[in-house]
Amino acid sequence: MTNRIRIGIFFGGNSREREVSFAGGRTVYDNLDKALFEAVPIFVDSFNNFILLDWHFIYKGSIRDFYPPVQFLQDSKLDVQVYAENLSAAYADNGKAMASKIGKIIQAEKLNQLIDFAFLALHGNFGEDGTLQGLLEWYGIPYSGSGILPSALGMNKRLQKEWMQAAGLNIPKYIGLNRNALSEVRKSFTQAKKTVGLPFVVKPANQGSSVGVSVIQEDNLEAFELALQKAFFVQTIKAKEWSSKSKAEKIQWLQKITDVKEGVGLPAFVNQKLIHHPDELFKILETQSKKGNIVSIESIYSETECLIESFIEGREFSCIVLRNEDGSAVALPPTEIVKGSEVYDYKSKYLPGRSRKVTPIDLDDKGIQNIRKACENLFNFFNFHVYARIDGFLSKEGQLFLNDPNTTSGMMPSSFFFHQAAEVGLNPSQFLTYIIRTSLKERANSHSIHYKHTQLLAALNKSLSLNKSKKGNKKRVAVLMGGYSTERHISVESGRNIYEKLASSDAYSPFPVFVTGNDEAHELYLLPINIMLKDNADDIKEKVMNYHRPAIMQKIVAECQELLNVYSQVALFEPKKISYVELKKMTDAVFIALHGRPGEDGTVQKELNKLKIPFNGSDVASSQITINKYDTNALLKKKGFLVAEHLLVHENEWKEQSEKIISKIEKIGYPLIAKPADDGCSSAVKKIKDRASLEAYAAGVFRPEIAMSEALRGLLQLSEKEEFPKKKFFLVEKFVEKGKAQHFLEVTGGMLTHYKGSKLVYETFEPSETLAESEILSLEEKFLAGQGQNITPARYAKTPRLNSSISKKVQEVLKAGAKALGVEGYCRIDAFVRIYAGNKIEVIFIEINSLPGMTPATAIFHQCALNGYKPYEFIDKILQFGEERLKMK
């Protein structure tokens, strides 16, 4: 173990893409081959301090879950999330006091005592622009990716276009605008229409992840001005516009405007006065609106220039180019981003199921080769190192345009980076090893003083050879993912995460199995790695049912064969339908990463029990109860636990006597929560405020066809691409509120079971406090990195001692509920907590998840970290329990 290379993973930063970087850094931390590397987490904070991060913070859902630390948060009058730079007091010591609470500050000159190699998962300024690369070269530390000059070029979109244009490359029409454009809006709009032509895209010149991007479709000066402000991160709000909002709408607006991903962000100059905190901004808006004044907000992290470029009507793609073993550039199969006319924004990029990625792009061999060769040429033209991601368009007329080459790709599980590598047969852990080894070769070849880099490379080569000789000693684990419920996309994310954690270990050999079908019969398909990493469950299903491997892929794989010989040991294969009997011969254990039906309902567990295959989670009887929220609540209520007043609404009863059913529901009283009784992940959970909303909900659930009319979607206020399941019944519950309690919060608490002799023992975790931007926790807030916020431990009281005392009481109630339902293995329980005078508590159960989500950003990983388990260790414990339970039987 002492021979492992110490890999410093640099992630976080102060850019607007910090949450993408944080999630990507976590992916690298978890997926580095544990036999070859020791992961060292170097978190870069809002003040550019290097912090050796306490490892359990890595598993928070977002940076704001732990930084700024809770003790530094000033009492806020508004429930608006803040960043570290929003705390003006932090500037006195450059954030060092805050940093010391989450890890150890490392001076740059000490980095080479801590790490052997720097893996750069930073995005934006200072991390992606050559700045950090220069610092690392100064101290002789080899790093991943491109060097100083290509990194600087890869960051500046305007300079890229000038160079590409000078080289005669085909690029969209464009103009660059500096900040003067904000005071010359009409003149700039005229210039844009004349030079570029409508429609066009407005975007910052130095941002990624589609931050600050807008599309102008029509000749509309006002829309252009708003797009320009968005790109430069400034905004004005008129007095009438502010005063017309309700208090709730004002808070929601404030949340968006102060969010660095979506809005201007703070600190900002507000009417030329520097402010830091959302409370200050709110106070100014209130005061100035009463005076009838316009408020101008301009972030201190604003842009110096923006680009206006043609909106290409056609197909959008992205292509990863690698440095091959012989030093030549080789393009992986390009991916098409399938979407409508909307911008491919942050949520579309990173939330499963929001967009569709098709790899390789659906073109003939010649068309794919044209894209690949153009991308390889651009890679060489800019002298990129190791790898790059190059975006582009194929117009309706067949013209090829290259756009926005990036020297650092997003490294979240859903990124193109892993998606395309899988198409040639590299899993994420192997691809990360490729980047480290190829970067070492690059640094050794390009630096005049390179003996340390050469020594590291030799050591890594030796370890890789030893690894290849070790075969056959790992436990085989089938990871079941997918399903056919509205939770299928999240299930795939959970399954992939489990697979990746196990694949980077030296104890397990996982393989993915896709589950599909219906309640009458579900089917199992053995998946190759490239199909597992397709964008979402529907894409995987389509590939499984209609498998076709384009002929061009044989050529691409052949070009990458030298790489595969070094890093991969498993060849790609065609998806294969298998039975449970065949699965028994292939595996030692099963990890069920399914959510909803099948999986959580006991049907899969029944089949595995017949064949005596150990599995994770609860057994059949408990699963059959907890899958149904109504049955769960009824049983809990019977055993004396608190649940919301509830009613199950069946389709046949509703159709025959809706007035009678409505009357029963209205006795419970509005507002209500309506939701499917056997689905989770916030799917179709709606707040019902009146009869019209209730009738619309029933019409949606009980609609005759799967397809839903736009009129009904409008009544249900469904967002674009939001799914709404068709069911035979749904659950109505009383909306739980604070009432007379002094404090009220929503929590989610995880737990793990063990055997102590023959006795089942429950180990509870500190529950997380769940914060929602609106009245219902959204899918994005639960699973999209950086989007929601979970505070772990939950904040029940202001003093640590009292907080701990209340937490123990809450955990005891949650544990008792789990025992009452016969939950085994592990689970997650959602509940409301009311705290009264004298610290009397009430715990109102919402639901119990017997197979909780296991996506990288899920709260259960934050919680188990406080009990000393890293995600891999938690998964290992879950699998061990399944084996022990089978032996006990």
Side-chain angles (χ1 to χ4, degrees), residues 751-792:
M751 59 189 74
L752 183 65
T753 66
H754 313 273
Y755 281 113
K756 194 172 183 180
S758 59
K759 185 181 178 183
L760 189 65
V761 178
Y762 288 76
E763 176 185 3
T764 59
F765 301 150
E766 281 279 3
S768 302
E769 177 184 352
T770 303
L771 303 181
E773 288 189 5
S774 57
E775 294 170 317
I776 304 293
L777 194 67
S778 69
L779 183 71
E780 292 92 333
E781 288 173 305
K782 277 191 173 183
F783 297 107
L784 179 55
Q787 199 67 18
Q789 191 174 16
N790 289 286
I791 303 296
T792 312

Side-chain angles (χ1 to χ4, degrees), residues 484-486 488 519 597 651 655 676-679 683-684 697-708 712 716 718 723-730:
Y484 42 80
S485 75
T486 53
R488 63 195 180 280
D519 282 344
R597 297 179 188 273
E651 182 178 13
K655 287 180 177 177
D678 58 353
D679 265 345
S683 170
Y697 192 90
V701 175
F702 299 146
R703 64 190 185 276
E705 305 292 337
I706 290 292
M708 183 184 289
L712 186 52
L716 291 166
L718 301 182
E723 288 192 274
F724 197 88
K726 180 179 178 296
K727 297 279 187 180
K728 294 289 184 185
F729 53 85
F730 68 90

Side-chain angles (χ1 to χ4, degrees), residues 486-506:
T486 53
E487 302 174 71
R488 63 195 180 280
H489 302 310
I490 301 301
S491 167
V492 165
E493 282 291 289
S494 289
R496 287 197 285 229
N497 189 41
I498 298 297
Y499 169 86
E500 289 165 8
K501 297 289 188 292
L502 297 177
S504 63
S505 77
D506 52 7

Side-chain angles (χ1 to χ4, degrees), residues 440-636:
L440 278 171
K441 287 172 69 176
E442 174 60 42
R443 304 286 92 85
N445 290 335
S446 60
H447 290 186
S448 55
I449 302 174
H450 58 256
Y451 70 97
K452 286 185 180 178
H453 308 345
T454 305
Q455 286 177 330
L456 278 175
L457 182 59
L460 180 53
N461 286 337
K462 183 178 179 181
S463 296
L464 276 168
S465 297
L466 285 172
N467 256 20
K468 280 196 170 184
S469 65
K470 296 176 183 176
K471 293 181 181 179
N473 297 322
K474 296 183 178 182
K475 284 185 182 177
R476 302 165 301 168
V477 179
V479 183
L480 271 54
M481 62 186 77
Y484 42 80
S485 75
T486 53
E487 302 174 71
R488 63 195 180 280
H489 302 310
I490 301 301
S491 167
V492 165
E493 282 291 289
S494 289
R496 287 197 285 229
N497 189 41
I498 298 297
Y499 169 86
E500 289 165 8
K501 297 289 188 292
L502 297 177
S504 63
S505 77
D506 52 7
Y508 292 102
S509 177
F511 60 94
V513 177
F514 185 71
V515 182
T516 186
N518 52 48
D519 282 344
E520 283 68 49
H522 54 265
E523 301 169 348
L524 309 182
Y525 289 88
L526 194 62
L527 291 182
I529 181 71
N530 62 316
I531 303 298
M532 184 195 77
L533 285 180
K534 291 298 180 186
D535 194 55
N536 58 54
D538 294 344
D539 199 12
I540 292 173
K541 183 177 179 180
E542 193 276 327
K543 292 292 183 292
V544 164
M545 298 300 178
N546 306 288
Y547 183 76
H548 170 67
R549 183 87 164 150
I552 189 68
M553 285 308 304
Q554 289 182 314
K555 176 177 174 56
I556 298 172
V557 170
E559 290 177 20
C560 297
Q561 194 57 56
E562 287 184 36
L563 291 177
L564 298 175
N565 291 342
V566 176
Y567 304 102
S568 180
Q569 298 177 30
V570 180
L572 293 173
F573 55 88
E574 185 173 339
K576 180 187 175 185
K577 187 175 181 180
I578 59 171
S579 65
Y580 280 104
V581 173
E582 289 173 302
L583 182 66
K584 166 74 174 175
K585 298 173 185 175
M586 301 169 66
T587 194
D588 300 309
V590 164
F591 196 104
I592 309 169
L594 299 162
H595 307 309
R597 297 179 188 273
E600 277 191 274
D601 59 357
T603 55
V604 171
Q605 291 85 343
K606 272 185 184 177
E607 298 299 326
L608 298 176
N609 277 337
K610 287 177 191 175
L611 297 166
K612 297 183 180 178
I613 304 173
F615 57 86
N616 58 305
S618 291
D619 217 328
V620 177
S622 179
S623 297
Q624 288 175 336
I625 296 170
T626 55
I627 185 65
N628 189 303
K629 296 180 180 72
Y630 177 80
D631 290 345
T632 299
N633 285 352
L635 181 57
L636 287 171

Side-chain angles (χ1 to χ4, degrees), residues 369-475:
Q369 281 297 83
N370 286 342
I371 291 174
R372 293 183 66 234
K373 291 305 171 190
C375 290
E376 289 169 358
N377 290 339
L378 189 61
F379 183 92
N380 290 326
F381 174 73
F382 280 117
N383 194 30
F384 290 144
H385 305 149
V386 188
Y387 75 93
R389 194 194 82 229
I390 298 170
D391 301 334
F393 299 92
L394 197 64
S395 74
K396 287 182 177 179
E397 296 74 32
Q399 281 187 295
L400 178 62
F401 297 92
L402 296 185
N403 206 31
D404 295 353
N406 290 270
T407 54
T408 301
S409 178
M411 294 185 190
M412 289 171 70
S414 59
S415 70
F416 300 112
F417 194 64
F418 299 121
H419 196 80
Q420 293 178 19
E423 285 295 334
V424 297
L426 293 172
N427 70 30
S429 182
Q430 293 162 346
F431 196 28
L432 294 174
T433 302
Y434 157 81
I435 290 170
I436 294 168
R437 181 172 174 272
T438 308
S439 297
L440 278 171
K441 287 172 69 176
E442 174 60 42
R443 304 286 92 85
N445 290 335
S446 60
H447 290 186
S448 55
I449 302 174
H450 58 256
Y451 70 97
K452 286 185 180 178
H453 308 345
T454 305
Q455 286 177 330
L456 278 175
L457 182 59
L460 180 53
N461 286 337
K462 183 178 179 181
S463 296
L464 276 168
S465 297
L466 285 172
N467 256 20
K468 280 196 170 184
S469 65
K470 296 176 183 176
K471 293 181 181 179
N473 297 322
K474 296 183 178 182
K475 284 185 182 177

Side-chain angles (χ1 to χ4, degrees), residues 60-81:
K60 299 293 186 182
S62 72
I63 293 171
R64 286 178 298 177
D65 285 354
F66 67 93
Y67 180 78
V70 172
Q71 60 265 46
F72 287 87
L73 292 173
Q74 61 198 58
D75 286 337
S76 178
K77 296 174 184 176
L78 307 167
D79 190 16
V80 177
Q81 298 171 3

